[in-house]
Structures are given as C-alpha cells and as structure tokens.
Amino acid sequence: DSIHKRRNTGGKQKPWRKKRKYELGRQPANTKLSSNVTVRTVRCRGGNRKFRALRLDTGNFAWGSENTTHKCRILDVTYNSSNNELVRTKTLVKSAVVQVDAAPFRAWYIQHYGKKIGIKVKNGEKVESEDITDVKRSNTLATKLKKRNAKHEVAENVDQQFSTGRLYALVTSRPGQCGRCDGYILEGKELDFYLKKMTKKTKGKGE
C-alpha cells in the first residue's frame, strides 16, 4: 500500500484511512536448506491456504533438453543475484542457483540411452568407454537405443558436471508460498552466464 509513502514531489501525506486487512504483510519465510523438512500452513484471505516451507532439502527438477523430471536432493545454494547473504545462510528462494544431486538423472540416462554419462577425462581422453556391454538386450531394444543415440549429444559443460555428481539448477517455485522447491537444470548460454558470475564472485573473494 502507498498510504505511508511520500508524494512524487517529496511532500508527506497524512493517512486518509485506517489499515485494511487485505493490505497486511507477513514475515518472510526465509526457507533454509535442511534435512529436517518443515512446512507450515497459513490461513489466508478467503479461506485459502498458503504453504510456508521453513526447511527443505528436496525438489522436482526438470532437464529441459531431455524432457525429463526427477525428484532430487538439494545439496547447496551457490548463487543469488539479489543478495550474497542468502547464499551464506543457504536460503532457498525463487531464482536462486542451487546444486542438486545428479544420481537420479544419471540412472535415467543409463536406462534411456544404454550409455554412461559423466565419465572422467584424463589427458584429453575418457578413462572408460561410454557403452555398456555387459547387459543382454533384445534386438528390438538394441535398435531402439541405436535410434535414440543417433545424432544425440549432451552438452560438454553438462557432461562435466555429471562427473562431479552435482548439477547446477535454478529454482522457479516460491518455497515460502507453495511449500515446494522446484526448478530446472541449467544448460546452454544460461549455464555459461551463471558460471561466469560465480567465478567472478570467487575471484573477488580471493583478492
């Protein structure tokens, strides 16, 4: 509400009416990253309910280019464009960059493509082969996997993350409003943009 604000000219305004119920504000949720998951319900105007997440450690994250979504454990909060304090205190808010566990996506990739992902590179070469040879497959399945793998490639910067077991993701839900921490895996130019920002921040700390 604008009753307490000054005019455009800078002059003070006398309040012309009392506060209204629909103008109320509540304390911020400041959802923390913790395994002790706590979600409170808040009764709102009109009998509606909001779900105030106070502590969370999992969420549904989508891998857009592969068109798949999995429930992942959130491991760390790594970047927030609005405030570094939110990174230090591991606060989960919308548009925060987090690191999630890559295991559910790795398991899906192996099952869907019949190949390994995130193989470590040594002296410019992969340590082991991508192909999984010790599994018996029917001709139908072998043909299906061959078709899937034709012209299919995972971006290099995403593949490198799989070798560390952590993926960068962006939170798109509002944990303090819906009680969930969902988002999507960062890829392409967006991932490059955030990686650049994060390296800048760490450089600044070192200097």
Side-chain angles (χ1 to χ4, degrees):
D1 70 288
S2 61
I3 293 173
H4 65 284
K5 292 180 181 175
R6 286 172 177 256
R7 292 190 176 94
N8 287 341
T9 56
K12 282 187 176 180
Q13 296 188 115
K14 282 265 169 66
W16 58 91
R17 61 170 163 80
K18 287 184 176 181
K19 292 175 182 177
R20 299 289 191 253
K21 170 77 172 172
Y22 58 76
E23 289 171 343
L24 71 79
R26 295 187 183 89
Q27 286 179 314
N30 292 334
T31 311
K32 295 285 182 275
L33 178 60
S34 167
S35 57
N36 180 21
V37 176
T38 311
V39 180
R40 299 268 156 82
T41 53
V42 180
R43 195 264 187 198
C44 304
R45 192 172 158 85
N48 294 310
R49 291 192 304 165
K50 283 185 179 181
F51 299 95
R52 186 81 81 237
L54 303 178
R55 288 181 285 273
L56 287 175
D57 72 335
T58 54
N60 293 325
F61 289 88
W63 187 0
S65 62
E66 295 293 345
N67 199 19
T68 183
T69 303
H70 295 282
K71 186 179 180 180
C72 301
R73 206 157 54 87
I74 301 164
L75 303 171
D76 197 10
V77 180
T78 51
Y79 181 74
N80 194 309
S81 57
S82 61
N83 193 349
N84 281 337
E85 198 68 9
L86 299 175
V87 178
R88 191 182 66 79
T89 54
K90 297 192 191 307
T91 306
L92 297 169
V93 290
K94 185 176 175 173
S95 80
V97 177
V98 296
Q99 275 191 324
V100 298
D101 185 16
F105 289 105
R106 182 187 270 120
W108 171 85
Y109 190 91
I110 290 168
Q111 183 258 323
H112 191 73
Y113 289 105
K115 271 184 171 184
K116 291 175 188 172
I117 190 170
I119 297 164
K120 288 183 180 176
V121 178
K122 206 174 186 183
N123 302 329
E125 285 183 15
K126 289 187 175 180
V127 179
E128 54 182 317
S129 170
E130 282 183 338
D131 300 314
I132 300 166
T133 51
D134 57 347
V135 179
K136 262 192 174 183
R137 294 192 184 110
S138 66
N139 292 338
T140 317
L141 182 60
T143 313
K144 195 187 276 185
L145 292 177
K146 195 178 179 183
K147 205 174 180 182
R148 276 179 192 163
N149 285 308
K151 295 180 183 175
H152 173 264
E153 220 171 273
V154 176
E156 196 181 326
N157 50 12
V158 176
D159 196 21
Q160 282 170 359
Q161 287 180 67
F162 270 102
S163 61
T164 62
R166 290 167 171 236
L167 296 171
Y168 284 113
L170 196 83
V171 178
T172 53
S173 68
R174 300 168 70 194
Q177 305 290 321
C178 67
R180 296 162 68 108
C181 189
D182 299 340
Y184 62 89
I185 303 301
L186 288 170
E187 301 177 83
K189 287 184 178 177
E190 195 178 7
L191 175 60
D192 294 336
F193 171 80
Y194 282 113
L195 286 173
K196 201 174 178 183
K197 288 278 185 190
M198 282 185 266
T199 49
K200 249 187 205 174
K201 198 175 75 177
T202 49
K203 268 184 189 174
K205 274 184 185 176
E207 290 162 15

